Every structure is written in structure tokens, then in C-alpha cells.
Amino acid sequence: MAGQTGRGHNSGVTTTIDPAAIDIYDPDGYVAAAPHEVFAHLRREHPVWRQEMPDGTAYWAVMRHADVVEVSRQPLRFSAQVGGVVLEDMAPEQLEQSKNMLLMMDPPRHTQLRKEVAHLFKARAIATLEAAIRKVCREILDRAAARGDVEFVHDVAAFLPSQVFGEMMGIPEADRADINRWAEQSTSGSDPDVNPDADAGGEAGGGSVQMAVYGYEYAVRRRSEEGDDLGLALLRTEIDGQPMTDLEFAYFFVQLVTAGNDTTRTMLSSGLLELLRHPDQLARLRADRSLIPSAVEEILRYANPLHYFRRTATEDTEIAGQPIAAGDKIAMIYTSANRDDAVFADPDRFDITRSPNPHLSFGIADHFCLGVHLARLEGRIFFDELLDRFPVIEQTGTPARFRSNLNNALKALPVHLGT
Ligand code: HEM
């Protein structure tokens, strides 16, 4: 182990690593834990790192906070639409369809659609859901209490986003488990447990087709209904002076489910795991619930649910002095940016009182998470209710993580919940 060099962008880690040995694409490298030591090394030595992929192509991994912000702020130079937001290139017809999703649109279409839907997700609109979210949390925790020993990811955390989304959209109870499963399949393609038939290395795909069909049928079924729930409001949203078509709605539906389900589930399950790993922080939070909002932000920083999103350069340019050619892939590595010590003091420390906490777990700028207020509210209410309901929370087995360079997520967390 050699001493670290230079100031800023380190994580207090003192490892020197042979560049030839670095592979931050390989999903196997994320199974035990996110490769924070390698990321710290890259922030220090190669802040815009050229990473080869198994298919022989390469991408630029942007490691530092300031550079991730810079890339996010230039949606025309660094497009979400040209190649989508995951590193694996999609088939042309799949890419064409994805362009109907907000996440994968560029201005001016993105700006226009975002303006139309933004009011439905504003803090004030989402705050009206507080009582409903609390009720859903209590029901979930009552069921968990009856069992005592649970696999927290799927028996507890998974229910919150799908129940809340189901309530907001008027989705029948009986359909919610299917939607959950499709969401997990569509975002965790390279984990063999979730997608046994997936092509090795493929991240996107399975599940989203079924979800789009469901969204389409939902639009057809509900379009003529009276009312003002989120689903009906979205169905009435106009693009270019016309209401969303059933197909456009289907894409929006897929977008909401894939963006909101697994990420929220992960915030809850990884959040609990970090609290269990840091008993002093858990005790502090139990003693002072006014810390819940900053604890949720620290959970999001420290255990961000998404490792990265991709952009594609639309012109010859540079990032932090590194020449980038038109057509090059760029990955904004949120997991690394969130531990950049140019921004966060003692970044590897989990500190529920951290303030300010300008993490990038929701992205930043044009594509900043549309569901941010919903996710935060769900996180705050859930942890408040969880701590109220269970004076005893103990890990009863080894947690398992997804094999994924995209989803920084647990797939199992055995715990005992004691009343
Ligand atoms: C902890 C939970 C969540 C995390 C960590 C998260 C993360 C993110 C990130 C990183 C982006 C930005 C991507 C970029 O810059 O390309 C994003 C965008 C988005 N998120 Fe979330 N998200 C969460 C919850 C939600 C929820 C609950 C919803 C649904 C209500 C949602 C809907 C969206 C949508 C629609 C976009 C695209 C926005 C746009 O392109 O304008 N997210 N999210």
C-alpha cells in the first residue's frame, strides 16, 4: 500500500492500483460491495477514466463531483437520447421507443414534456400524500410484525413504492406484484437470479415490454374516466397541443415504474443496512427523530441506489481536459461523485447529521429526478414508522447484493423485527 498523493478527490484511502487491473464495468466487481477504493484512486489519478467493455467498445467514466455536474448541465452536448442512459447499446427499435421516455429525451422535447408534468410531482402536490403513505407504511409494518423474521428487501421495502404508486395511479391490488417483478427484471438484467435467461452483460430489457403493454391497456381502460388521480392527470397531459396518446402514456408509465420502484426499495433496504452497520447512528436517530430528513439524505449519498447514468457526446469536446470525440459514451459515476472529498468532508463516514449534503443520487440539472419529493417523503415516513414500530431490529443473516454495475442494490437482507 502506497501513500496517497495530491489533495482533494480522495476518500482517505491509501491504495495504489495498477491501471491495467482496473475494470469498473465488470458487474462481478460490485457483488461484494461497490468498488470505492478503485473509485477513490480514479478520482485522484484518472478523473475521466477510459473503461473498455467486453464488446471491445469503451466509455469515459466521469469520477469527480464537479465533472458529473458539468456533464449533466449540458444536455445537448451530452445527450441522453442519442444512446440512452445505460452503457449497453440498445437495439435500434428499442432505442427508438425509449426516446418517448422523459429520461431519454433531449431538449426541446424534454423541456416541453417536463414542463407539462412537473406540477404533478411538485413538493406541495406530493405533500398531500403524506397520510396515505403513512397508512401504507403501517400496513406493511403490521404484516412484517406478524412474521417477525423477514427478508427485508422483498417482504417489506418492495411494498412501499408499489403500493404508493398503485394508490396514486388507481392500479388494482392484484396487479401490483406483477408490476414489481417486471420493474426488477427490467432494471437488473445482469443478475442471473432475476433474469436467468438474460444475455450475459445485458442490463436493460426483460419486464419492460410487459409493463408497456400493461400501461397501454391501462390507458385504453381509463381514458374516458372522470377524476383527478395521477394516472388520469397524465392521460390528459398535452404534448404539442394533443393529449398523450395511449402509446406515449405507456412509455411514461414504464418510466415511472422503472425509475421509482427499485430505487425507492433500495433506499429503504440499504438505508436500514447502513443503520444496522452503524449502531451509534441508529441510536442517535432513535433518540432524535428530527434527524430523519438528514439521515435520509445521508443514506441516499452513502448508499445511492444508482451507480451511474450514461450520456453520449454529440460533438468533439472535452471533460476536465480529457478530449472526448463525438459519439463517445460517458458514464456519470454518482457513486464516486458522492464520495469526492473536494465536496464532502470525511466522505467514507456515514454521518446522519451531515449538512450540507449535495449528493448527486437524484442527478442534477435538466433530468433531475422527477420523483425526488415522493422518494424523500416515502423515506422519511418509512424510517419514522419503522423505528416507532420496532424497538428491536437485528440482522439475522448475510445480505446479498445485485450483480450489477448500474443498480447499487440489495437483493436480500434477512432481519428480525421485534416489538
Ligand atoms: C430513491 C429513489 C430514487 C432515486 C435514487 C432516483 C434517481 C434518479 C436519477 C439519478 C435521475 C436522473 C437521471 C439523469 O440525470 O439522467 C432520475 C430521474 C427520474 N426519476 Fe428518479 N429516482 C428515485 C425515485 C423516483 C420516483 C419515486 C419516481 C417516480 C415518481 C422517479 C421518477 C423519475 C423520472 C420520471 C426521471 C426522469 C426525469 C427527467 O428525465 O426529466 N424517480 N431519478
Side-chain angles (χ1 to χ4, degrees), residues 2-65:
Q4 65 186 44
T5 54
R7 299 219 334 252
H9 306 296
N10 307 317
S11 268
V13 178
T14 57
T15 320
T16 294
I17 299 168
D18 174 8
I22 295 177
D23 182 354
I24 61 169
Y25 176 81
D26 183 0
D28 286 335
Y30 294 76
V31 175
H36 289 295
E37 283 197 15
V38 179
F39 287 172
H41 170 81
L42 292 178
R43 279 198 298 283
R44 193 166 64 235
E45 304 291 337
H46 308 278
V48 183
W49 166 251
R50 185 177 181 281
Q51 178 61 59
E52 291 199 358
M53 292 173 61
D55 65 3
T57 63
Y59 64 96
W60 297 104
V62 178
M63 309 307 294
R64 290 182 178 171
H65 190 282

Side-chain angles (χ1 to χ4, degrees), residues 85 102-103 110 114 121 255-256 259-260 263-264 267 300 305-306 309 311 332 334 360-364 366-371 374-375 378:
V85 294
L102 200 57
L103 186 62
H110 174 268
R114 175 104 186 188
F121 296 91
Q255 161 86 93
L256 284 181
T263 47
T264 305
M267 168 180 65
L300 286 162
L306 294 166
F309 268 138
R311 298 291 186 262
M332 303 177 287
Y334 302 129
L360 296 178
S361 305
F362 291 116
I364 192 165
D366 291 50
H367 289 281
F368 184 59
C369 178
L370 187 69
L374 179 60
E378 288 181 86

Side-chain angles (χ1 to χ4, degrees), residues 148-150 272 276 392-397 413-418:
D149 290 308
V150 292
L272 176 61
L276 292 173
V392 177
I393 306 176
E394 289 161 346
Q395 214 178 302
T396 50
L413 175 60
V415 294
H416 173 72
L417 301 170

Side-chain angles (χ1 to χ4, degrees), residues 88-138:
E88 298 74 23
D89 287 325
M90 288 185 253
E93 60 279 11
Q94 204 191 347
L95 182 62
E96 196 51 40
Q97 289 162 5
S98 313
K99 289 177 185 164
N100 289 306
M101 294 189 195
L102 200 57
L103 186 62
M104 296 182 228
M105 273 180 202
D106 287 347
R109 194 166 146 73
H110 174 268
T111 320
Q112 194 197 352
L113 179 56
R114 175 104 186 188
K115 204 168 100 219
E116 294 299 330
V117 296
H119 69 281
L120 298 169
F121 296 91
K122 285 242 157 76
R124 212 175 320 139
I126 295 301
T128 62
L129 298 171
E130 173 154 3
I133 294 175
R134 206 169 280 282
K135 182 165 170 279
V136 169
C137 284
R138 287 183 180 161

